[in-house]
Amino acid sequence: MGRPFCAPPAHLSMNPPRTQTGTAPAAWYSQALLALLTAVLLDLCFPLAGPMPKWQGAIAWIALVPLLFSVLRPRAIAQRHYLRNIALTGYLSGIVWFFLNSYWIYRTMNFYAGVPPSGAAGILLLYSLVLGLYFGLFAWGLALIHKRLGLIPALCLAPILWPAVEILAYHLTRVPWDQLGYSQVDNFWLTHIAPWAGTYGIATVIVAGNILFTAALLNIGCPIQALRWLEWD
C-alpha cells in the first residue's frame, strides 16, 4: 500500500540521495527559471512610492518559494556539483532582483550626475553583480545545511540564515536598501515588531512563511500535487 496521505515521503531521509554523474541541462534550466521567478516576485512586492495595495505586499510571503524549492528539492541535492550549482542559482536570482528593483540608480546617475547612458547602465549592473552575491551566499549556505544536516534542519534554519546574510551585507557594503522586511512597510500588524527586531525580525517571519509553502511543495505533511510541475526536470 502507498504511504498515508500526510506521512513524510521517502526523500526526507537524513541520508542524501545518491549523487548523479552530472547535471542535466534541463535541471539547470529549471533552476534558472525558478531563480528568475523569485527575482520577479520580489520586485512586485516592493513599494515604489506611497501606500501599496495589500495584495502586492502579500506576494513577499511566496516570493522566495521558487528559490527555496530549487535549493531543497531532492533532484537538486542529487546533482554532482550541488553546492556550486545552487550558489550560481542564488547569484542569478540576486543579480536580476537588484537590477529590477534598483532601476532608479540608472536614472540618478544619468539625469542628475550626468553619467552617459552606457556608464549609468554599467554602474547599475556592477551594483547588481556585487549585491547579488549575498543571494548566492544564502543559497549556498542553505544547500550546505541541507547536504550536511538534512532537509528538516535546512527548513528550520532558513529563517535565521536569511537575516544573518542581510546583516552581513549591510556591514560589508553599508547599503541598507532592498532588505526583505521593507516589503511589509504597509503591513499594520507585522510592523509592530520593527521597534524591537527591526527589518531583520520582519524578514525572519516572512522567510518562515515562505518555508511553510516550500515544505508543502516538498510533500511534507499534506502535499500540494497540483504544483508538482515544478519537478519537471
Side-chain angles (χ1 to χ4, degrees):
M1 295 179 66
R3 62 179 177 87
F5 175 69
C6 288
H11 70 257
L12 291 183
S13 170
M14 297 298 289
N15 298 320
R18 182 184 302 176
T19 302
Q20 297 175 351
T21 57
T23 301
W28 166 247
Y29 295 149
S30 66
Q31 284 180 196
L33 178 63
L34 291 168
L36 294 174
L37 182 56
T38 279
V40 172
L41 290 174
L42 282 174
D43 186 57
L44 291 175
C45 69
F46 268 69
L48 295 177
M52 190 170 59
K54 291 183 179 180
W55 64 264
Q56 193 172 345
I59 296 176
W61 298 91
I62 61 169
L64 293 175
V65 170
L67 179 61
L68 292 170
F69 183 80
S70 72
V71 174
L72 299 175
R73 59 183 176 167
R75 293 186 183 183
I77 196 173
Q79 294 174 10
R80 188 177 191 181
H81 303 290
Y82 171 57
L83 295 179
R84 183 194 67 183
N85 293 336
I86 290 302
L88 291 174
T89 299
Y91 187 38
L92 173 64
S93 184
I95 293 173
V96 177
W97 147 242
F98 283 107
F99 194 88
L100 290 174
N101 196 251
S102 300
Y103 65 92
W104 51 268
I105 292 178
Y106 172 86
R107 176 67 173 173
T108 301
M109 293 293 101
N110 177 243
F111 185 80
Y112 295 101
V115 178
S118 58
I123 292 172
L124 174 57
L125 179 60
L126 180 61
Y127 169 85
S128 303
L129 289 172
V130 173
L131 272 294
L133 288 170
Y134 296 105
F135 269 62
L137 178 60
F138 168 77
W140 178 85
L142 187 61
L144 182 63
I145 296 172
H146 186 200
K147 186 175 182 179
R148 298 289 177 84
L149 302 179
L151 178 60
I152 301 301
L155 291 170
C156 294
L157 292 175
I160 300 174
L161 181 61
W162 181 277
V165 172
E166 282 194 337
I167 292 172
L168 177 65
Y170 168 72
H171 284 286
L172 289 180
T173 63
R174 295 298 174 181
V175 177
W177 304 327
D178 299 331
Q179 293 180 347
L180 185 59
Y182 295 157
S183 66
Q184 302 303 301
V185 65
D186 293 322
N187 187 322
F188 176 78
W189 299 107
L190 196 55
T191 52
H192 277 67
I193 70 174
W196 294 275
T199 59
Y200 306 115
I202 296 175
T204 300
V205 177
I206 296 172
V207 176
N210 278 266
I211 283 294
L212 292 177
F213 287 107
T214 305
L217 285 177
L218 292 168
N219 277 348
I220 296 176
C222 300
I224 303 179
Q225 296 292 346
L227 298 180
R228 294 290 291 171
W229 63 272
L230 290 170
E231 280 277 28
W232 61 270
D233 64 345

